[in-house]
Amino acid sequence: MSSREVIVLNVGGVRFVTRASTLQQFPESRLARMVNDDDREFKLVNGELFVDRDGALFSYIMDFLRTLQVSLPTDFSDYQRLQREAEFYGLYPLANLLSQEHLLKPRLEILEVRFSLQEMQTFFRIFGSCSTTIEALAEQITVFTGQQSGQGWKSPFPSQKPLVPLPLERPSHHDIVFLCGTEYSAGDQFMARYVSIKPDNRKLINGTNVLGLLFDTLLKDGFRLISTRTVTSEEKIECYTFERMKRAAGLAIMVNQTPGSSGVAQARRSQMQKGK
């Protein structure tokens, strides 16, 4: 076995093809000993190594060996069973991480959009329970401003003057404030503010259009609208609440494989996208 570069595993009827070096990531594990013909639990049958264990759960173990990261679906619930499988294969760093179930479980994320339409301007305030999501939104949203003459502000780009990007207001790490529309400046001058939300390239001045684009962006990012309410009818403030299950920050393993080492592993956090 030790001379074979590619190994075929049959785990409970599920077939896996991998490199010997992948199975040897942790030299003291049973999988590494199997490659060295040093574990009788693995039987060679028709050129394939057969082991009578759960094949579906072994797919997560193979993913861990290939990436050295614990990455589980948001609806995963078999933490104890997977931990037991990791212990069987002698992958104790993985088993230790799985025992810290609270670090791996996805968390419910809440996001609230407040929308206020006042004469020619529309005010937006976005609150989020996760500061990283708010930071990502802040990078997507840009407000452009420019001074326009007369009634030309009603057209998309009336005077063709260059528009200047403005920084978003950030009262805290958990919210964003911005507005769009026009306001009277002096004489026949108007100050216009347009909003652009990446990856859409349009610059929108109408608040209802901006709200629709913002909703599309959030829905595509995995959020779902759960409630709509009026905060104050006098000020015409509407509040829209969204939620999604956010994947926990990934946990990765750093393996010390220097000469003479025993495959000691340490866990570290690594940021993983999306789910967002």
Side-chain angles (χ1 to χ4, degrees):
M1 279 292 300
S2 58
S3 62
R4 294 174 59 178
E5 181 179 357
V6 176
I7 294 176
V8 180
L9 287 171
N10 186 327
V11 183
V14 183
R15 194 167 177 266
F16 298 88
V17 181
T18 186
R19 293 178 177 272
S21 58
T22 301
L23 300 174
Q24 293 172 314
Q25 288 277 18
F26 297 87
E28 295 181 351
S29 71
R30 297 185 71 176
L31 291 170
R33 296 203 304 270
M34 172 205 70
V35 175
N36 298 323
D37 298 320
D38 196 24
D39 197 308
R40 296 182 181 181
E41 186 73 33
F42 299 82
K43 306 293 183 183
L44 193 62
V45 180
N46 297 325
E48 299 181 357
L49 280 164
F50 177 78
V51 59
D52 190 18
R53 302 294 294 191
D54 190 309
L57 291 178
F58 190 73
S59 65
Y60 298 116
I61 289 175
M62 280 303 308
D63 181 65
F64 168 73
L65 290 173
R66 287 166 174 153
T67 65
L68 295 182
Q69 289 187 345
V70 183
S71 180
L72 302 172
T74 54
D75 60 349
F76 186 82
S77 59
D78 289 335
Y79 292 93
Q80 291 185 347
R81 290 182 58 214
L82 184 55
Q83 181 184 350
R84 190 163 61 241
E85 293 299 295
E87 290 172 349
F88 169 81
Y89 293 109
L91 296 170
Y92 297 109
L94 173 59
N96 291 337
L97 287 183
L98 290 167
S99 68
Q100 303 176 68
E101 188 176 328
H102 65 284
L103 297 178
L104 301 171
K105 279 188 173 181
R107 295 177 175 84
L108 181 65
E109 181 179 358
I110 301 295
L111 189 140
E112 182 180 278
V113 177
R114 293 197 175 192
F115 170 83
S116 177
L117 184 59
Q118 300 178 8
E119 297 182 356
M120 295 186 298
Q121 289 188 318
T122 305
F123 294 81
F124 291 85
R125 188 162 193 167
I126 305 174
F127 300 86
S129 61
C130 178
S131 61
T132 56
T133 297
I134 294 298
E135 196 66 41
L137 271 175
E139 292 178 0
Q140 288 180 266
I141 300 172
T142 305
V143 176
F144 296 89
T145 185
Q147 201 170 49
Q148 314 298 347
S149 300
Q151 298 302 312
W153 59 268
K154 293 181 180 179
S155 61
F157 299 101
S159 63
Q160 300 299 320
K161 292 181 181 179
L163 296 176
V164 179
L166 286 178
L168 299 179
E169 291 185 43
R170 296 295 306 278
S172 75
H173 292 296
H174 290 274
D175 57 347
I176 301 170
V177 176
F178 62 93
L179 61 89
C180 64
T182 60
E183 61 179 333
Y184 183 73
S185 180
D188 64 347
Q189 298 293 308
F190 287 82
M191 184 63 69
R193 295 197 185 197
Y194 300 83
V195 174
S196 177
I197 305 177
K198 298 177 183 178
D200 194 296
N201 293 320
R202 291 174 297 169
K203 294 179 177 65
L204 304 175
I205 195 170
N206 182 282
T208 303
N209 293 340
V210 173
L211 183 67
L213 180 57
L214 179 60
F215 276 23
D216 287 344
T217 301
L218 295 175
L219 293 174
K220 288 177 182 177
D221 206 23
F223 283 97
R224 66 186 187 95
L225 180 64
I226 60 171
S227 72
T228 302
R229 62 189 175 88
T230 300
V231 179
T232 58
S233 56
E234 295 81 7
E235 297 181 14
K236 299 180 181 179
I237 300 177
E238 300 290 334
C239 179
Y240 304 88
T241 304
F242 295 81
E243 71 172 17
R244 72 173 174 183
M245 294 303 293
K246 180 178 175 63
R247 187 189 298 274
L251 290 177
I253 293 290
M254 297 181 64
V255 185
N256 179 11
Q257 293 182 331
T258 55
S261 73
S262 57
V264 176
Q266 293 181 332
R268 65 175 173 84
R269 281 186 178 276
S270 64
Q271 294 299 323
M272 300 175 62
Q273 296 296 326
K274 21 182 216 58
K276 298 184 168 176

